[in-house]
Amino acid sequence: MKTLTLLLSILALANAYPSSHGFATIIQRDQLKKEYDYVIAGGGTSGLTVGDRLSEDGKYSVLVIEYGILDNNPDILSGGVNKAMDPSREFVISSVPQPHLNNRTVEVVVGKLVGGSSGVNGLQFFRGMKEEYDLWAEIGGKGSDWDWNGLLPYFKKGIHFVPPYDYLAQDFNISWDLSAWGQDKDTRIFAGYPNYLYPELKTYYDAMAAYPGMPIPKDGNAGTGGLYYYPTQMDPKTYTRSYARTGHWDGISRSNYHLLTSSQVTKIVFNGNRATGLTFRPVNSSSTTTPPTTVTARKEVILALGTIHTPQILELSGIGSKSILSAAGIKTKVDLPGVGENFQDHGFFYNISWAFATPPPIPAVNSSGDPASALSFNCGAVVGLPIFTTAKKTEDLYRSFKAQSPSRYLAPGTHPDVVAGFAAQKHAFEKIFRSENTAWMWIVLLGVPFFNPVMQHPMSRGSIHINTTTPTAEPVVDYRAFSNPVDIAVTVEIVKFLRRYMTSEFWAAYGPIEFSPGAQIESDEQIAAWLRGIYVPSVYHPVGTCAKMPRHLGGVVDEELLVYGVEGLSVVDASVMPVIPGAPTTMTVYAVAEKVCLCVICFLWGRKGKGGAFMEIEDEVQSRN
Ligand SMILES: Cc1cc2nc3c(=O)[nH]c(=O)nc-3n(C[C@H](O)[C@H](O)[C@H](O)COP(=O)(O)OP(=O)(O)OC[C@H]3O[C@@H](n4cnc5c(N)ncnc54)[C@H](O)[C@@H]3O)c2cc1C
Ligand SMILES: *[C@@H]1O[C@H](CO)[C@@H](O)[C@H](O)[C@H]1NC(C)=O
Ligand SMILES: *[C@@H]1O[C@H](CO)[C@@H](O)[C@H](O)[C@H]1NC(C)=O
Ligand SMILES: *[C@@H]1O[C@H](CO)[C@@H](O)[C@H](O)[C@H]1NC(C)=O
Ligand SMILES: *[C@@H]1O[C@H](CO)[C@@H](O)[C@H](O)[C@H]1NC(C)=O
Ligand SMILES: *[C@@H]1O[C@H](CO)[C@@H](O)[C@H](O)[C@H]1NC(C)=O
Ligand SMILES: *[C@@H]1O[C@H](CO)[C@@H](O)[C@H](O)[C@H]1NC(C)=O
C-alpha cells in the first residue's frame, strides 16, 4: 500500500504541467479505467496521431501509454534544430561496434517524451519520391495500395501546408505545387516556411542550379526530386515547432482520449490468440518488485513505440524469431522471424569543407525578416545516381548490385523468409536503382562551404533484438553499416560529387580550396578509408524492423498493419516501412498513421472518415496574419 502511494505521488509530480492549455485528459494511475476500446503503446509521432483520430468522433475510448512526460521546456517549441535535442528527453543507446566503421559504436537516439521523436527532431519536412513508395506496394503484393497514389490523400490529410511569403519566394526562387498538399483547417500539423533566409543560401542554390543536369522541380514533395526549398515542421504563425503533441494532443478536449505518462509498457497480454491488453509499470518506481498494471483493450492493442522499441515489446511478448526467443528464455507465441530484422536508417558524414580565396559577394535580397524564424534548414538537392555521378559509374554500381546474391551480405544465419524479403526488395529496387528520382543523395545547403551529406538508400540491413542475457535491458542495435559494399561505393560518389560542385565554373572566380578531407585523399580507396572513420549510419531515421510485407517474405504486419499470427494487434509507427524512403521520415510516419486509421477503422468497424481527396485547397499566405 505504501509503495502505491509513493508511486502515485511520483506520477503526480512527473505529470505536473501548466493548466492554461485545454488538454485532453491526462490521467493519474488511480484514474485509469480497466478497459478501453483502443490501447496505444507509445505517445510519440504515430501514437498521438492515431490516438487523436480514433477518439475524434467520441465513439471509442482511447488510452495512450507513454514512457516520457509532457515536457514543457521552451527549447522544444522554439529552440530549433540545435536545442530541442537533449538526453533528458531521449533514449540514447550505444550500438554494437560496427566492423566496417573501424569498430566504432554509434549513438542511437530517439525521442522519449509526449510527442516522441517529433518533439526533438531536426524539423526538416519532406516526403520521398513517387517511385520509392510505389516500391512498397510492389513488395506488398497484388492489390496493395501502399503506393504513391494510395498514400497521397493521407499526406494531404495529415499535414497543413502554408506557402512562404512572396518576397522570399521571389528572391530565393521558392515554388510549390498546391495539388501535392492539404490545407485542412482541422489539421494542426503544419508545414511552413520562416520569414527570413540567409542571403548566402541563394549563392549555394544558384551554384547547385547551374550544376549540369540538376533538376529543379516545381515542388519536391510532388513525387520527383531535385534542388528545392522544402518546408519545416513549424507553425508559420508563431514560428514554433509543430509536432505530434501540438497537433494531436494540446487543445483537444475529449473525455474519451486518455494519456498516461511516465509509464513503461512491458508486455502485450493475450487471451488465446487475441491481444487483449498491455502491462506497464511506472518509469520512476524505486521498486522493481511491484507487479505491473494491466489494462484491457476491447478492440485493439496498437504498438507505436517506434522502430527501436516496438520489436523489443513484440519479442518480450513471445512474437519473434524462435531462436532469439528461446535464447532469452521466452516462450514463443508466434514464430515471426522478421521481427527486428530489415533495420534501415539513412547515413551521413561531415567535415567535408572548403575555404575561398575571395569570398563570394552576398546577394542583395529582402532581409526584412527575422533569422530566428528559421528553426531549421530548408533547402537541398535530393537526387538520384545519374544526377550526381557519371553514367558509367551509375551503370557499374547497378551491375554490381544486380549481380549480388540476395543473401550474400545479410548477416550469417539470416532466416530464409527474411532473405526472401530482401530478395524481393532487391528485385524491385533494381528497377529504380538508376532513376533520377530514386533519391540516393540529399545535400542540405547551409549557405557555407561545409556539408553534411546524407546517403539515403542503404542496402545494408541491420537488426534490433532483445538483449538475450537481460531481455528487459535496452535492445541490441546493429546497423551493419557498410556491410553491403554498394553503400560505401555510393557514398564515395557523394564525396566526388561535392568536389565537382565546389570546383564547378560557378565558384571558379572565388578560388575554392578544399580544406577537408583534402587533396591527399584522392583515390576511391582513400575516400572509402576516410569514410570508414567518419561515416555515421544514422540520421535518426530508423525504420523497417516490423515491416509491412507478406509473411513469407519476413513481414511482421499485413496490409492493414495487423501483426501476423495473432488477432487484435497492430503496429503503426516507423518500423512498418518496408524500405526507407529518400526523405526524412516524419512526414511519412504521419501519412502512414493517418492511412491506417481510415483503413483499419473502415475495414474493421465500418467507420467512415474524411479523406484528403475531399479537401478544398486554398492559398493561405494572405490570410494567416
Ligand atoms: C534527433 C532526431 C532528429 C530527427 N530529424 C528529423 C528531421 O529533421 N526530419 C524528419 O522528418 N524526421 C526526423 N527524425 C525522425 C522522425 O522524428 C521519426 O522518424 C518519427 O518521429 C518516428 O515516429 P514514431 O511514431 O515511429 O516513433 P516516436 O515518435 O519516436 O514515438 C515512440 C514513442 O514511444 C515511447 N516509448 C518507447 N518505448 C516505450 C515503452 N516501453 N513504453 C511506453 N512508451 C515507450 C517513446 O518515448 C516515444 O514517445 C529525427 C529523429 C530524431 C530522434
Ligand atoms: C574489429 O573487431 C574485431 C573483433 O574484435 C577484430 O577482429 C577486427 O580486426 C577489428 N577491426 C578493426 C578495423 O579494428
Ligand atoms: C526556379 O525554379 C523553377 C522551378 O519552379 C525552375 O524551373 C527555374 O529554373 C528556377 N530558376 C532559377 C534561376 O534557378
Ligand atoms: C523521473 O524522475 C526524474 C527526477 O525526479 C524526473 O526528472 C524525470 O522527468 C522522471 N521521468 C519520467 C519519465 O517520469
Ligand atoms: C520586403 O519584405 C517586406 C515584408 O516583410 C515587404 O513589406 C517589403 O515590401 C519587401 N521589400 C521589397 C523591396 O520587396
Ligand atoms: C546486455 O545487457 C547486459 C546487462 O545489462 C549488458 O552488460 C550487455 O552489454 C548487454 N549486451 C549487449 C550486446 O548490449
Ligand atoms: C576535420 O578535418 C580536418 C582537416 O582534415 C582535421 O584537422 C580535423 O581533425 C577533422 N575534424 C574531425 C572532427 O574529424
Side-chain angles (χ1 to χ4, degrees):
M1 245 14 223
K2 232 183 184 160
T3 332
L4 185 64
T5 317
L6 180 68
L7 292 182
L8 290 173
S9 62
I10 288 170
L11 278 161
L13 279 175
N15 288 344
Y17 61 91
S19 52
S20 55
H21 302 61
F23 291 122
T25 317
I26 181 161
I27 53 163
Q28 308 302 322
R29 258 184 132 192
D30 59 352
Q31 299 168 304
L32 183 76
K33 295 199 290 180
K34 269 196 141 77
E35 289 190 5
Y36 291 82
D37 290 316
Y38 296 97
V39 176
I40 301 175
T45 317
S46 55
L48 290 183
T49 306
V50 169
D52 180 12
R53 295 306 185 196
L54 293 184
S55 63
E56 80 189 337
D57 70 1
K59 275 192 197 158
Y60 306 113
S61 56
V62 176
L63 171 70
V64 176
I65 305 176
E66 165 57 36
Y67 189 109
I69 59 168
L70 273 167
D71 191 330
N72 293 314
N73 188 307
D75 287 345
I76 295 170
L77 290 180
S78 50
V81 68
N82 295 319
K83 289 198 189 147
M85 264 185 93
D86 187 280
S88 68
R89 41 185 171 265
E90 291 163 350
F91 294 98
V92 182
I93 305 166
S94 196
S95 79
V96 301
Q98 299 293 292
H100 298 282
L101 301 179
N102 304 339
N103 284 339
R104 284 181 294 128
T105 59
V106 177
E107 263 192 6
V108 183
V109 178
V110 284
K112 185 180 74 177
L113 71 163
V114 175
S117 297
S118 70
V120 294
N121 75 12
L123 299 142
Q124 299 180 84
F125 215 23
F126 57 95
R127 57 186 88 135
M129 306 298 145
K130 176 180 187 301
E131 59 199 38
E132 293 168 334
Y133 299 107
D134 288 350
L135 185 87
W136 290 10
E138 183 175 343
I139 300 162
K142 254 208 182 89
S144 173
D145 66 350
W146 290 87
D147 56 3
W148 172 264
N149 288 332
L151 277 159
L152 189 56
Y154 304 100
F155 280 120
K156 292 183 182 180
K157 180 177 166 60
I159 316 298
H160 187 143
F161 176 76
V162 183
Y165 284 108
D166 284 345
Y167 66 92
L168 280 184
Q170 274 158 24
D171 284 359
F172 289 86
N173 198 35
I174 309 178
S175 55
W176 58 93
D177 178 356
L178 278 186
S179 74
W181 294 102
Q183 298 188 318
D184 190 335
K185 294 268 183 289
D186 296 334
T187 296
R188 296 180 302 141
I189 297 292
F190 292 98
Y193 294 83
N195 60 32
Y196 177 88
L197 288 171
Y198 286 97
E200 292 86 346
L201 186 57
K202 183 176 157 53
T203 310
Y204 287 78
Y205 177 94
D206 289 345
M208 192 63 88
Y211 189 86
M214 181 58 62
I216 305 181
K218 186 174 174 204
D219 189 330
N221 276 290
T224 61
L227 169 66
Y228 66 99
Y229 292 87
Y230 42 82
T232 52
Q233 297 165 44
M234 180 174 78
D235 180 337
K237 280 197 177 109
T238 53
Y239 303 110
T240 54
R241 176 184 296 266
S242 178
Y243 71 115
R245 173 179 164 187
T246 58
H248 292 294
W249 177 261
D250 286 356
I252 293 173
S253 176
R254 266 175 226 156
S255 58
N256 61 323
Y257 185 17
H258 284 183
L259 170 65
L260 189 62
T261 58
S262 302
S263 301
Q264 180 179 25
V265 170
T266 49
K267 223 177 241 185
I268 304 155
V269 180
F270 291 95
N271 180 359
N273 222 28
R274 182 166 191 92
T276 55
L278 289 171
T279 61
F280 62 91
R281 51 178 294 280
V283 167
N284 269 341
S285 166
S286 49
S287 160
T288 48
T289 52
T290 322
T293 307
T294 301
V295 63
T296 299
R298 279 187 291 260
K299 292 190 183 298
E300 199 170 306
V301 172
I302 299 172
L303 301 184
L305 302 161
T307 298
I308 310 296
H309 293 104
T310 286
Q312 179 195 32
I313 293 301
L314 283 173
E315 289 181 345
L316 288 173
S317 310
I319 301 178
S321 156
K322 196 171 182 164
S323 57
I324 289 165
L325 299 182
S326 46
I330 295 169
K331 187 163 172 277
T332 302
K333 180 157 193 72
V334 184
D335 184 9
L336 205 52
V339 174
E341 295 290 309
N342 191 48
F343 173 41
Q344 301 157 60
D345 198 335
H346 299 133
F348 82 104
F349 59 96
Y350 58 97
N351 207 13
I352 177 160
S353 60
W354 279 262
F356 292 111
T358 319
I362 296 174
V365 290
N366 189 334
S367 57
S368 64
D370 179 4
S373 70
L375 299 183
S376 188
F377 320 112
N378 65 349
C379 181
V382 189
V383 295
L385 277 174
I387 307 295
F388 70 90
T389 186
T390 62
K392 182 177 181 308
K393 200 68 191 184
T394 300
E395 213 48 40
D396 288 352
L397 287 166
Y398 169 70
R399 265 195 248 115
S400 68
F401 178 66
K402 194 171 190 304
Q404 288 178 4
S405 122
S407 64
R408 175 69 176 82
Y409 298 110
L410 297 177
T414 298
H415 191 282
D417 291 357
V418 176
V419 175
F422 183 67
Q425 293 182 7
K426 179 174 178 288
H427 179 74
F429 207 90
E430 282 166 11
K431 295 182 211 163
I432 61 171
F433 191 99
R434 293 167 291 180
S435 162
E436 284 189 5
N437 291 307
T438 293
W440 284 90
M441 179 184 86
W442 169 26
I443 305 277
V444 183
L445 297 183
L446 304 169
V448 289
F450 179 90
F451 303 91
N452 300 309
V454 183
M455 204 294 249
Q456 304 213 92
H457 278 299
M459 293 300 154
S460 303
R461 292 292 180 267
S463 64
I464 299 176
H465 290 295
I466 45 172
N467 178 330
T468 50
T469 48
T470 320
T472 53
E474 285 293 11
V476 178
V477 179
D478 188 357
Y479 290 91
R480 298 189 70 255
F482 286 163
S483 56
N484 189 316
V486 77
D487 291 352
I488 194 162
V490 168
T491 313
V492 166
E493 294 308 309
I494 295 177
V495 173
K496 287 152 76 179
F497 164 79
L498 278 172
R499 286 176 162 173
R500 282 194 295 272
Y501 167 65
M502 283 308 299
T503 55
S504 63
E505 210 183 312
F506 184 96
W507 299 107
Y510 314 116
I513 303 147
E514 185 174 318
F515 176 69
S516 170
Q520 77 288 358
I521 309 287
E522 204 191 339
S523 67
D524 287 8
E525 292 70 28
Q526 286 169 327
I527 298 172
W530 176 73
L531 284 169
R532 288 184 202 288
I534 208 159
Y535 185 79
V536 181
S538 173
V539 196
Y540 320 115
H541 301 159
V543 306
T545 51
C546 297
K548 180 204 71 64
M549 295 198 292
R551 188 171 180 176
H552 69 275
L553 297 182
V556 174
V557 296
D558 66 12
E559 291 286 303
E560 314 288 340
L561 307 191
L562 292 163
V563 176
Y564 290 117
V566 291
E567 282 165 29
L569 179 65
S570 62
V571 179
V572 299
D573 57 37
S575 69
V576 303
M577 298 186 203
V579 175
I580 196 164
T585 36
T586 309
M587 199 185 280
T588 303
V589 168
Y590 284 126
V592 167
E594 295 282 3
K595 180 164 158 59
V596 73
C597 283
L598 287 185
C599 87
V600 166
I601 301 259
C602 287
F603 182 77
L604 293 175
W605 317 111
R607 173 171 175 253
K608 289 196 179 58
K610 182 169 60 144
F614 310 114
M615 282 178 319
E616 276 180 35
I617 304 296
E618 59 178 88
D619 193 319
E620 285 199 5
V621 154
Q622 313 308 336
S623 65
R624 69 174 158 188
N625 283 327

